Amino acid sequence: MEVLACRGEHVETRHRVAAIAVRHSAEVLWQTPKAADYQTYLRSSAKLWQAASGWALAALQDIPQQALAVAASSHTGSMAHQHWVLFWLNHAGLDPSALACGIHPPLDRQERHRLLKNDVPPAAVHNNCSGKHAAMLASCIAHQWPTETYLSAEHPLQRAIFNALSPQAPIDYAIDGCGLPTAWMSMKQIAMLYAQALDCPIRARILKACLTYPVLAGGQDRLDTLLMQASHGQLYAKVGADGLIGVTRLGESTCGLALKVLDGDESARAVATLTLLQSLGWLKHEAAQSVRQTLKLDKRVNWVGLDIGRWNISE
């Protein structure tokens, strides 16, 4: 499967896609050739499992759903996101200096302009992974685990996450952009994670929070947020860096999808995901078209608004 970026009447670039959809039972519904065995890093598509590990269900009963959604988010650093990052830190009795995720400018345009206008530098709370890190720190405090070394793959929290991702086998890993370990997994393993996402009550609670507050789980006009909104809560989605996305289809028969654009192109990922979700019958045409229009994928335009081509799919 390839996503074709056409300029005028000709194909300008080709973006290869590996994708696999499975049932909860592990039956393969559909896949691109050899997709099941293709391996990649899980990146931010792991955040539901990272947010759920290290917690007991009872310990989350008094945590607002908004905070749970931000704990599993790749957020845009808006004021609303920052509020719930600080909630987690306050819950742990810590301040933002405890965050080890690093600093980058907020992805939220309004917040980025506010910082520039007021000559304020970005902070760790703007990092798209700061919600996950803040919730991890709160978990460490709850367990009396050290907070200074929570990034280490040998830390009890990270070992719990590895066990949640792969209970039966050790995981190879590398370091993600935010400093945490990221697992090396096959596409079928990733699809199965999403197909079985609801099997753990803690994950189910956090997943529900993401569906209830999809903007807090991502941000305005982000692919995963738009999919959760357009499907009216029937799809849980989480993007990962470099072209990855995982999707859970809720309902009588829970299913999972893992999709990776091999060159990491984000527009191609959105085109492939929407096309495949429609083909599988997981997303209605009108809903998919609405997402396409929001992301400006119904046609390709240049900086001055001229129509210069189309996105197409080649099997």
Side-chain angles (χ1 to χ4, degrees):
M1 181 179 183
E2 287 186 319
V3 178
L4 310 178
C6 301
R7 186 177 296 269
E9 300 301 318
H10 300 284
V11 175
E12 185 172 31
T13 55
R14 297 175 179 269
H15 308 275
R16 288 183 58 207
V17 176
I20 178 170
V22 299
R23 296 189 190 276
H24 183 275
S25 63
E27 175 191 352
V28 175
L29 291 170
W30 182 90
Q31 66 174 316
T32 57
K34 302 181 180 179
D37 297 325
Y38 181 85
Q39 292 183 298
T40 189
Y41 286 109
L42 192 50
R43 307 298 295 274
S44 284
S45 294
K47 283 187 175 173
L48 178 62
W49 289 263
Q50 291 172 317
S53 300
W55 288 102
L57 189 60
L60 296 181
Q61 291 302 324
D62 296 328
I63 301 294
Q65 283 193 307
Q66 297 95 319
L68 295 177
V70 168
S73 72
S74 295
H75 65 73
T76 58
S78 70
M79 294 296 288
H81 291 115
Q82 294 173 59
H83 172 83
W84 293 107
V85 173
L86 294 173
F87 168 90
W88 280 112
L89 292 173
N90 291 335
H91 185 75
L94 300 171
D95 62 47
S97 66
L99 293 170
C101 53
I103 298 172
H104 64 67
L107 303 176
D108 180 78
R109 183 178 302 175
Q110 184 175 352
E111 178 65 1
R112 192 165 63 247
H113 288 175
R114 185 186 73 82
L115 295 183
L116 289 170
K117 180 180 178 180
N118 294 286
D119 196 25
V120 176
V125 293
H126 294 112
N127 186 303
N128 76 102
C129 292
S130 62
K132 170 179 70 176
H133 282 250
M136 285 183 173
L137 287 165
S139 176
C140 290
I141 293 296
H143 286 277
Q144 298 183 328
W145 291 334
T147 56
E148 298 82 2
T149 57
Y150 79 95
L151 295 181
S152 169
E154 301 306 316
H155 191 281
L157 177 57
Q158 302 310 323
R159 302 313 302 176
I161 293 168
F162 284 164
N163 185 61
L165 292 172
S166 180
Q168 306 301 324
I171 286 181
D172 191 11
Y173 69 91
I175 304 304
D176 210 339
C178 66
L180 287 164
T182 180
W184 178 252
M185 306 187 80
S186 74
M187 293 292 285
K188 186 172 184 181
Q189 285 177 299
I190 297 171
M192 283 304 304
L193 286 176
Y194 278 82
Q196 298 174 355
L198 297 174
D199 288 4
C200 165
I202 303 171
R203 286 200 305 268
R205 177 168 168 77
I206 297 173
L207 187 151
K208 181 180 178 181
C210 293
L211 293 176
T212 304
Y213 295 97
V215 176
L216 288 178
Q220 294 288 349
D221 298 344
R222 289 177 67 83
L223 176 61
D224 40 17
T225 293
L226 290 169
L227 289 174
M228 289 187 277
Q229 291 172 325
S231 67
H232 302 291
Q234 294 305 299
L235 297 177
Y236 166 74
K238 184 68 194 75
V239 298
D242 290 325
L244 184 65
I245 188 170
V247 179
T248 299
R249 189 197 72 172
L250 288 76
E252 293 183 9
S253 176
T254 307
C255 299
L257 167 69
L259 183 147
K260 166 88 172 181
V261 175
L262 303 194
D263 64 8
D265 188 273
E266 293 187 3
S267 294
R269 174 179 60 190
V271 172
T273 301
L274 291 165
T275 301
L276 185 50
L277 290 175
Q278 271 190 260
S279 177
L280 290 168
W282 296 8
L283 191 65
K284 294 180 179 179
H285 171 78
E286 297 79 8
Q289 190 59 26
S290 174
V291 176
R292 287 190 183 93
Q293 290 173 353
T294 299
L295 295 176
K296 299 179 172 57
L297 297 173
D298 49 336
K299 58 184 177 181
R300 297 182 69 208
V301 297
N302 63 11
W303 290 110
V304 295
L306 294 177
D307 185 346
I308 55 92
R310 292 288 184 275
W311 293 99
N312 290 322
I313 293 285
S314 171
E315 298 295 334

